[in-house]
Structure formats: structure tokens, C-alpha cells
Amino acid sequence: MTSNPRDQTLRIGAWELIPARGLLRRNGEETRLEPRHADLLIFLAEHPGEVVSTEEILSRVWSGTLVGDHSLYQAIAKLRKALGDDSAQKRYIETVPKRGYRLLAEVVKTAEIDGDREPTPPRSPTPWTASPRHLLPLAAALLVVILALSFWHFLPQAPDEATPAIRPRLLVLPFASLSDKAADHFIAEGFSIELAHLLGVSHQLQVLGPVSAKLAAESALDVTEVGQRLDADFVVTGSLRRAADLLRISATITDTASGSQRWSQIFERHDGDIFGLQAEVARQIAEALQANLQGRPTPPASAASGDAKAAYGYFLLGQSHRRNRSAASLTLARDAFEQALQLDPGLVSAKRELAATQLLLSFYDNLGFREALEQAEPLLEQALRATPDDPELLGTIGLSHYLKGSYGLAEEYLRRAITADPSYSEGWMWLGLAERQQGRLRDAIDAFRQARALEPLMVSTSVNLANALSWSGEPQAGRKLLEELVQTIRDAPQAYRVLSGIALESGDLVAAYRWAQTALSIDPEDSVSKGSMALVLAYLDQYQAVRELLTSNREQPTHGRAVQLYLDRMSLMIGSVPIEDVADRYESRLIASPRVQEIEWRLANARLGLADAFAGDLDSARDRLARSLEGRVHPIERTDYDLFVCTTLVDVQTRLGAHDAARQWLRRCQGDFEAARQYGWDSLAMRYVRARLARLGGDSTQALEHLRIAVAHGFRNGKLLAADPVFEPLRQTAAFQDIQTRIQDLVRKDWEETKNPLACQQPNGASCDPAENDPGAPQPQASSAEPSQTDPHKNPADLP
């Protein structure tokens, strides 16, 4: 048996580490390390001279604890201080940018120590029947126990030595319906979704999400291949048959490594009660394994009334529809949950899911956000009184706070949710959005990666991660992630739109045009896809086509929140509507209801203030921009965009002669810029803001150099540069004009290439020619439109 590293003294460079006591010793000098910091140093010492990634360290040293990169950074800093490491020339711990950390010092293991600590007995395996952290409806809790017990019966047990637990990855494929009724197909799928959620509550299992499971089931691969593609250790399959009063459910567990079936069972009920069948399954499996059900009583077979049985069927039907984030499927889900609650007003899970559906409809459809809140919040309050520890309920409450702009409160609820259910993929994704909205991009990337590991085929998880990677200075990584996704899922316009946005930020206008056209070819009437294409055409100086696209958008009825956010940015980006129209739209929103959220008020002031600043209305711009920024705790929209707002206010104050106020705001902008870099932001907008900061600080040479760097990294928004009042003092200089000419030449070259059919090889075979894919689409034409009122906002809103 290998010796436990904690039983050995380690000599690390000039230091002696006694792991059992967390003690560093050198020439009579002693330093006591915090337990976590000692674990970190031990782990690095196990890999001397090797680069160890952040993910590996967090997985090993912080195993089971939800933290972000910032905790690791602080621990590394404290270790360096304890070791006396030289900040100028590292002798112990080296940071390898974008890769991880490396222990530089030589490591020597000395003899085992016999007096430093009491012997620790080997850790016993923890059975999966450990008490759950929260209460669930009785039948649901039993179902978690029975399948968890089944897996525990044949999975390898933990070794005696204290090694990090590896949670098996489980995929629950949609159950097949063997009934004649079409609705039973959705009920069977909903049953599998509930089963996956219930299994995910176990901290010993990592359960992949239902969206990826559904897409995998629709492929032509067999069960073993599906599991291997999604890196699942076990796959659960099953079927459901209803005929008159007979309900039969079969379930099978397959080991993907060997392809063998590890467990299979058929269960029947003659009263058609799908909810009651869960209790019967629990009893039979528990009896077969002689398991301890923690003293929980099982409900009698007749526990559910006829209405309750039917209500649960509608609930499962809604669950199936809710996972598809389209307006049509969410509407079907809402109808099913409402029907369930009419039959059984006490069905708490239906209240939770109906609330979540209302919130998502406000984003993906034309349901007003305030109306959605009015419908969702009473349901959430009722559900919270009944099941205060339900992870999905906590997550939905977190989503409501995120959409309201209460990001800190959203994070608190979402952390509670994923702590209770580490396999809750939506919770991880929404947590990432809440962290990103607080400016912590590195933490957000970690959460998005967790969400994508659980839902590798869900478009919104990949889209959010790809965007975050792009904003952190890794656009190619985000682009590669989505390019791989669209090889599998080819009818996802949001993935193509984000690919277009990432290509746009990288300066690849040809690829940006190609991806935007692919999105538009999937649904030529999709408003957001039209906005995406309009944005690319604006960069390519094709303003006639831009105006036609946006005019068709404005003629449509009220849009959902996702579309409206995009159109708001577009209207400022290219000056497609008069500033009076922009003001009327925002001001009408602010007075439409007494329940306006503060984040909406700040966003309206920021957008209107930017429009005023570019139009030359300095007094209005100063008032609006100051209102948007003063007293702000979290970013208004996005950290790098807020810096554009902040530097615009500095310029407005300067032009108004308020130099003291301008200096105060400039210091704040500079501090916010440095904080953003520490939190991981390295977007193209950040590079442009850096040039603005240099110019506002009086260093024109540095401002021009930063502009050149921004162009080298993909900045192509020549209209913004031409209209930006911050650079007015530089506009007549040869260096500035050279930068403008360089951008114009690059844009002209890219536009010519977009018209070359050989340049457009799309993964779904669609043509890049708008007329070929959509005869009604406007033809791109060269335009000599004057510079626009512009805004650096490019990407559509993140997808919840």
C-alpha cells in the first residue's frame, strides 16, 4: 500500500513541510499554514516541475466545495508569501499563463513521522443511502433511493486510502412510449426528466441533463455509443405503456464500458397511477437489496386520487415541453402545468415549473416581464413554504432575481441549489450568468463549464461558455466550441448568431457574415437573426440593407426580452432610428408600471445617455450617464460595456468644462478597468476602452498605439471610430487617419470576399447569398450613409 503523503515530511527547496501539522520549517523558523493551503502545497509537491491546471487543482484540493478561481489565486499568493518567494524572480511557484501553476523547487520525501499526529482510521465507504440534505415529496425521495441503491450494489466501493471521490456519470435517456396516445410520448419523456432530476440530488452521482439526453436519443447511435460520446459511465433506458387502467414501466441500466446490462426490472400498476408506481418501484428494489430506507414510510397504493393521478400526468407532459427553449414549446408547457394545478392545486412541483416557464416566456416570447413576475412570484412563495429546500425551486427563485437585476441575491439562491443538487445543470448556468453580471468572468466561466459538462448538447450552455471565453481573450476557444456543436445540432440559430458575434469580435467579417446568414437561413423571419445580420452588414458599410432589415423588425409586434435587448443595441449601434424615437421607447418603459426594476432604469439612462453624447446634447448626456452609474453595485449590462459608458461620461464632463468632475470619474473608470482585468475580462471592447482611457488621460501617443493594437486584434467598427467624440482631438492627425484607412481597407477586402461563392462553405449546405436563402431578404448594397450614433454592444443577450 502506498504511504499517505500526510505521513511523510517533504523537503521543498529550503523548507521542510510537515503535512500532518501543516507546518513549514526552515533554520528554526516555523510557519503554520491553513489546512487548505497545506493541501495545495502537498498537491503541487506531488507534481514537481509539472504544469498543473486550475481545474485539476480545484478538483483535487477543493473537492466537493463550490469555489471559483479567485480562491485559488488567494491561496497561491499566501503560499508564496509563506515560502518567501521573490515576486521578481519566482523560486517556488510559477504561474504559467492560461495553463496553470508549476512548483519550481526540488521536492525530497524524508522518512515517515511517528509522533506528529494520531493515526487516522481509514475512511469507510459512504453508501448512497446517506440521509438527503433536503426533503422531497415522499415518492420522489424513495425513487432517488432505489436507483441509487441499485448502482451502489454493483459499483466499485471507495478504497481505504483517502482519495478524491469520482462520481459516476449517468445518462437517463427519454423513456419510450409504447402506447397509442400521442400525449403518452411526452409523459414518458417527462418521467425520464423527473427521474434524472431525482437521481441528480445524490452527491455520489453526476447526472447529465435532459436536453442532451433527448438529442442523444434522437441520434442513430446505440446506447453504448451514446454513452461513450457523452462520456457517461451508465445509461438508463426504459419504456412506458398505458392501456386502459394498466400502467407498465420497464427500466434498464447499461454499463457503457462493457455494453452489458447491470440491472433491469418491469413494474406494473392496474390503476394507471404513475405517481404511485414510484412508491412500488421503491419498495421492490429496497426489498431486493434489503436496503435501509431511513425509516421513511411508503404511501399506500391508493394514496393518490383520480385527479391527482391525472395532474401528475399533465406535470410530466409540461416537463417534456419546458426543456425546449422556444416560444411554442414553453407555451405548451405553461398550458400543461396550469392544467395540472387545476386538477391538483397542491402539486408543488407544478407551481415551481409554471413559475419557471412564465419567467422564460418573458425572455423567449412576448410575455411582458412585469406580467411574468406578477404570475410567477406568488407561485414561488407558495412552493417555498411547502418545500423550502427543493434545489430546482431555489434555482428558479435565483433566476427570477437574476432577471430582476438582483445578482447577488440570485447567486445566493443558486449556490444553495447546486450545493443541494450538484447535477442541476440549469442552476450552474444561471449561477454563471449571475457571476458574470457581477463582473466575475473567471468564476462565470467555471460555472458555465460545469453546466456544459452536465448538458454537453444544450445550446444555451455552450453559447454562454463560448461568449465568456471570447470576452476573456480566448475567442478562438469559444469559436471552436460552437463549431463542434453545430456539427451535431445544425438547426440552432442562436449558436450561429454567437459564432457570428465571436467572429466579428475577432475581426473575421467574412466568417461573421457567413454565420449570420446561416442563422437567418434556418428561420428567415427570426428577429434576432435579422439583427445579427444587420450588425455584420453595418460593419461591412452596407447601410441600406441594414435599414431594411431593422425596418422589418420594427414593424413586427412586441418582441420578447431577448429580441428587445438586441434591437435596443442595434438602434444605437447604427443610428437606424431618430434619437427621439429611442427616448420615447425608453421613457415609456419607465412609466409603464410602478414595479420597474432598478436595473431597467439604469439601462435606460445608460442607453439614452450614450445616444445624447454622440448627438451632442451634452447636458442631457451628463445627467443620464451619471444617473446610470452613481450608486451602482453591479454592472448595468456588461463590465466592458459599462467602461464605455463611464469613459463617455468623462468625455462629456470634460467638454462641458467640469474638469474636477471629469478627473474624479476618470479615476473611477481607471480603477474599474483594472478590476475588470483582474476578474478576467480581455474583450475587444476592453482594448478600445483602454485607448479611450489613454486619450482622456492626456496621452495621445498611447491612445493611438492602443487603437492600433485593437485593430490588430480585430477591431473593425470604423463608424464608431469616426463618430467617437473622445478621439476628436486626434481626428486630423496622420496616425489616426492611417488607422481609419487600415480599417476601411480591411472592411472593403472582406466585403469583396463575402460576395465570392467559394468563400461560403457552410456546415448545413446553405448559401451565403441572402437572396438565394430568402428571396425577401434585402440585398446588401454599398452605401455612403453618414457616421452613426454608435455603441460597442454587439452580442445578443445571454440565454437563460
Side-chain angles (χ1 to χ4, degrees):
M1 181 179 294
T2 304
S3 298
N4 192 321
R6 285 192 166 277
D7 294 331
Q8 295 181 300
T9 296
L10 302 176
R11 186 167 294 282
I12 304 174
W15 291 92
E16 186 180 64
L17 172 64
I18 305 175
R21 296 167 56 190
L23 188 66
L24 278 175
R25 192 160 54 196
R26 179 181 65 179
N27 299 330
E29 175 187 357
E30 290 189 351
T31 301
R32 181 78 64 177
L33 298 177
E34 296 179 23
R36 188 80 69 184
H37 300 164
D39 291 342
L40 173 58
L41 185 54
I42 293 169
F43 182 64
L44 291 174
E46 291 173 353
H47 306 275
E50 300 177 20
V51 178
V52 186
S53 70
T54 298
E55 291 78 10
E56 290 178 277
I57 296 174
L58 291 175
S59 174
R60 177 68 177 271
V61 179
W62 275 268
S63 177
T65 304
L66 302 174
V67 297
D69 288 0
H70 62 284
S71 298
L72 175 56
Y73 304 149
Q74 293 173 358
I76 290 288
K78 290 183 179 180
L79 269 184
R80 283 174 172 156
K81 182 176 180 181
L83 293 166
D85 216 354
D86 189 340
S87 59
Q89 185 175 4
K90 297 291 188 297
R91 292 175 297 146
Y92 284 93
I93 302 175
E94 175 190 19
T95 299
V96 182
K98 297 188 178 181
R99 291 183 59 197
Y101 298 91
R102 173 165 44 208
L103 186 66
L104 300 174
E106 181 183 8
V107 177
V108 178
K109 296 180 181 179
T110 63
E112 294 190 7
I113 300 174
D114 290 327
D116 288 323
R117 67 182 177 100
E118 292 295 322
T120 301
R123 186 177 62 185
S124 300
T126 302
W128 291 7
T129 53
S131 299
R133 292 189 178 186
H134 55 279
L135 298 176
L136 291 170
L138 177 61
L142 291 175
L143 186 57
V144 177
V145 173
I146 57 97
L147 279 180
L149 283 170
S150 301
F151 279 111
W152 177 80
H153 187 65
F154 56 72
L155 286 177
Q157 299 302 296
D160 287 343
E161 295 180 340
T163 56
I166 298 176
R167 294 188 294 156
R169 284 168 64 86
L170 176 68
L171 176 68
V172 182
L173 292 178
F175 278 32
S177 172
L178 305 180
S179 305
D180 296 331
K181 294 182 179 179
D184 283 354
H185 167 77
F186 297 101
I187 291 175
E189 185 177 316
F191 181 85
S192 65
I193 290 172
E194 278 299 285
L195 180 60
H197 282 319
L198 297 169
L199 288 168
V201 175
S202 167
H203 287 237
Q204 280 69 43
L205 276 175
Q206 189 177 32
V207 181
L208 300 179
V211 175
S212 297
K214 181 178 180 180
L215 290 170
E218 292 171 354
S219 69
L221 303 176
D222 63 28
V223 171
T224 302
E225 289 176 311
V226 165
Q228 291 172 351
R229 288 283 183 92
L230 296 183
D231 195 26
D233 299 302
F234 300 95
V235 176
V236 176
T237 55
S239 64
L240 179 149
R241 180 192 295 274
R242 291 205 300 182
D245 289 335
L246 176 65
L247 174 63
R248 174 181 293 172
I249 290 180
S250 68
T252 299
I253 300 171
T254 302
D255 184 335
T256 60
S258 63
S260 61
Q261 291 186 2
R262 292 301 190 93
W263 174 83
S264 183
Q265 186 65 278
I266 296 176
F267 303 93
E268 290 185 350
R269 285 186 72 96
H270 291 278
D271 59 2
D273 181 8
I274 193 170
F275 188 73
L277 185 57
Q278 295 177 352
E280 185 173 337
V281 171
R283 282 195 299 268
Q284 292 192 25
I285 295 296
E287 290 169 2
L289 297 179
Q290 297 181 348
N292 176 9
L293 291 179
Q294 304 297 327
R296 294 179 179 273
T298 56
S302 59
S305 67
D307 283 348
K309 297 172 189 175
Y312 193 68
Y314 278 109
F315 167 74
L316 294 178
L317 180 66
Q319 281 286 67
S320 174
H321 289 305
R322 214 271 279 168
R323 291 310 178 263
N324 298 319
R325 279 166 161 72
S326 69
S329 64
L330 288 169
T331 300
L332 290 172
R334 178 186 61 190
D335 294 345
F337 293 135
E338 288 177 344
Q339 186 68 35
L341 288 173
Q342 286 180 11
L343 293 169
D344 183 1
L347 188 54
V348 176
S349 54
K351 293 180 181 180
R352 176 198 71 213
E353 290 301 300
L354 177 57
T357 304
Q358 301 283 21
L359 294 171
L360 291 173
L361 275 169
S362 76
F363 196 88
Y364 291 96
D365 199 19
N366 56 9
L367 178 65
F369 179 57
R370 283 180 284 275
E371 182 184 354
L373 278 180
E374 290 171 358
Q375 297 174 9
E377 287 183 335
L379 293 168
L380 293 175
E381 290 172 359
Q382 295 169 27
L384 190 63
R385 286 195 292 270
T387 56
D389 298 317
D390 177 7
E392 292 176 79
L393 174 60
L394 296 173
T396 303
I397 295 173
L399 172 64
S400 72
H401 287 302
Y402 164 76
L403 292 174
K404 288 188 290 187
S406 304
Y407 305 121
L409 194 54
E411 181 181 357
E412 182 174 333
Y413 274 101
L414 289 163
R415 285 199 175 278
R416 288 173 58 193
I418 61 174
T419 298
D421 181 1
S423 294
Y424 182 22
S425 57
E426 278 188 326
W428 281 107
M429 182 173 66
W430 295 337
L431 174 64
L433 292 175
E435 290 174 328
R436 196 224 68 186
Q437 277 305 114
Q438 295 176 78
R440 304 201 319 270
L441 191 59
R442 287 195 181 95
D443 291 348
I445 288 173
D446 290 343
F448 291 146
R449 281 181 171 146
Q450 289 279 4
R452 187 170 182 269
L454 294 165
E455 279 282 22
L457 299 181
M458 186 174 178
V459 174
S460 54
T461 58
S462 295
V463 160
N464 286 322
L465 176 56
N467 263 334
L469 289 171
S470 178
W471 301 332
S472 70
E474 299 184 61
Q476 295 307 316
R479 183 169 168 173
K480 180 181 178 183
L481 185 155
L482 291 181
E483 285 175 342
E484 292 174 351
L485 179 69
V486 297
Q487 293 300 318
T488 302
I489 307 172
R490 300 192 175 192
D491 61 347
Q494 60 268 51
Y496 293 111
R497 290 195 298 265
V498 173
L499 269 168
S500 177
I502 292 174
L504 202 63
E505 179 145 333
S506 305
D508 189 348
L509 301 189
V510 178
Y513 181 91
R514 181 187 67 192
W515 293 123
Q517 186 53 43
T518 306
L520 196 57
S521 70
I522 295 171
D523 183 359
E525 298 305 316
D526 181 66
S527 297
V528 184
S529 295
K530 287 182 180 180
S532 177
M533 174 54 79
L535 188 56
V536 177
L537 291 171
Y539 273 70
L540 289 165
D541 290 342
Q542 307 306 307
Y543 281 90
Q544 182 61 36
V546 168
R547 288 189 174 89
E548 291 182 28
L549 277 171
L550 291 188
T551 299
S552 66
N553 260 352
R554 291 200 305 274
E555 291 173 351
Q556 293 185 13
T558 304
H559 300 291
R561 211 176 186 203
V563 178
Q564 193 61 60
L565 285 171
Y566 206 118
L567 296 180
D568 288 346
R569 296 174 187 174
M570 286 298 304
S571 65
L572 292 172
M573 176 68 200
I574 66 168
S576 59
V577 295
I579 189 172
E580 293 81 8
D581 291 353
V582 178
D584 288 345
R585 186 165 70 249
Y586 278 112
E587 288 170 354
S588 65
R589 283 189 213 170
L590 295 178
I591 64 174
S593 168
R595 299 183 66 181
V596 172
Q597 305 300 320
E598 181 180 328
I599 192 64
E600 292 186 46
W601 174 78
R602 291 190 182 278
L603 185 60
N605 277 296
R607 295 254 176 86
L608 290 168
L610 287 173
D612 289 334
F614 276 82
D617 186 352
L618 301 184
D619 289 327
S620 295
R622 175 187 58 192
D623 294 343
R624 291 188 186 280
L625 294 174
R627 281 200 295 268
S628 72
L629 291 169
E630 286 175 344
R632 174 181 58 88
V633 177
H634 302 314
I636 302 166
E637 183 168 359
R638 224 177 74 186
T639 295
D640 48 356
Y641 291 174
D642 275 21
L643 287 166
F644 188 88
V645 175
C646 187
T647 49
T648 300
L649 178 56
V650 174
D651 178 63
V652 168
Q653 297 279 22
T654 301
R655 286 192 280 163
L656 286 170
H659 297 293
D660 288 342
R663 281 191 290 271
Q664 291 176 3
W665 278 106
L666 179 59
R667 285 194 294 271
R668 172 170 168 177
C669 296
Q670 290 168 334
D672 288 350
F673 180 85
E674 292 304 322
R677 293 180 64 195
Q678 292 176 11
Y679 281 130
W681 291 88
D682 189 20
S683 65
L684 198 61
M686 290 280 289
R687 296 177 188 275
Y688 188 81
V689 164
R690 191 168 196 172
R692 282 183 135 215
L693 285 170
R695 171 64 197 90
L696 293 168
D699 194 336
S700 296
T701 302
Q702 277 295 309
L704 290 167
E705 179 60 23
H706 288 313
L707 282 177
R708 280 191 285 268
I709 293 172
V711 172
H713 281 82
F715 179 77
R716 299 291 183 268
N717 195 343
K719 294 302 180 185
L720 171 61
L721 189 60
D724 194 342
V726 169
F727 297 113
E728 181 62 35
L730 305 180
R731 214 167 300 285
Q732 302 305 317
T733 65
F736 188 85
Q737 292 174 1
D738 286 346
I739 293 172
Q740 286 185 302
T741 301
R742 173 64 174 161
I743 294 174
Q744 291 167 1
D745 290 344
L746 291 168
V747 169
R748 190 178 301 112
K749 176 178 176 292
D750 283 347
W751 173 240
E752 291 301 319
E753 191 172 347
T754 62
K755 295 187 290 185
N756 177 7
L758 297 178
C760 291
Q761 300 296 325
Q762 299 196 53
N764 65 352
S767 169
C768 287
D769 182 359
E772 185 174 332
N773 287 307
D774 177 14
Q779 286 296 303
Q781 299 174 0
S783 171
S784 58
E786 65 270 4
S788 61
Q789 301 155 7
T790 49
D791 181 338
H793 302 174
K794 294 187 286 297
N795 292 316
D798 293 302
L799 305 175

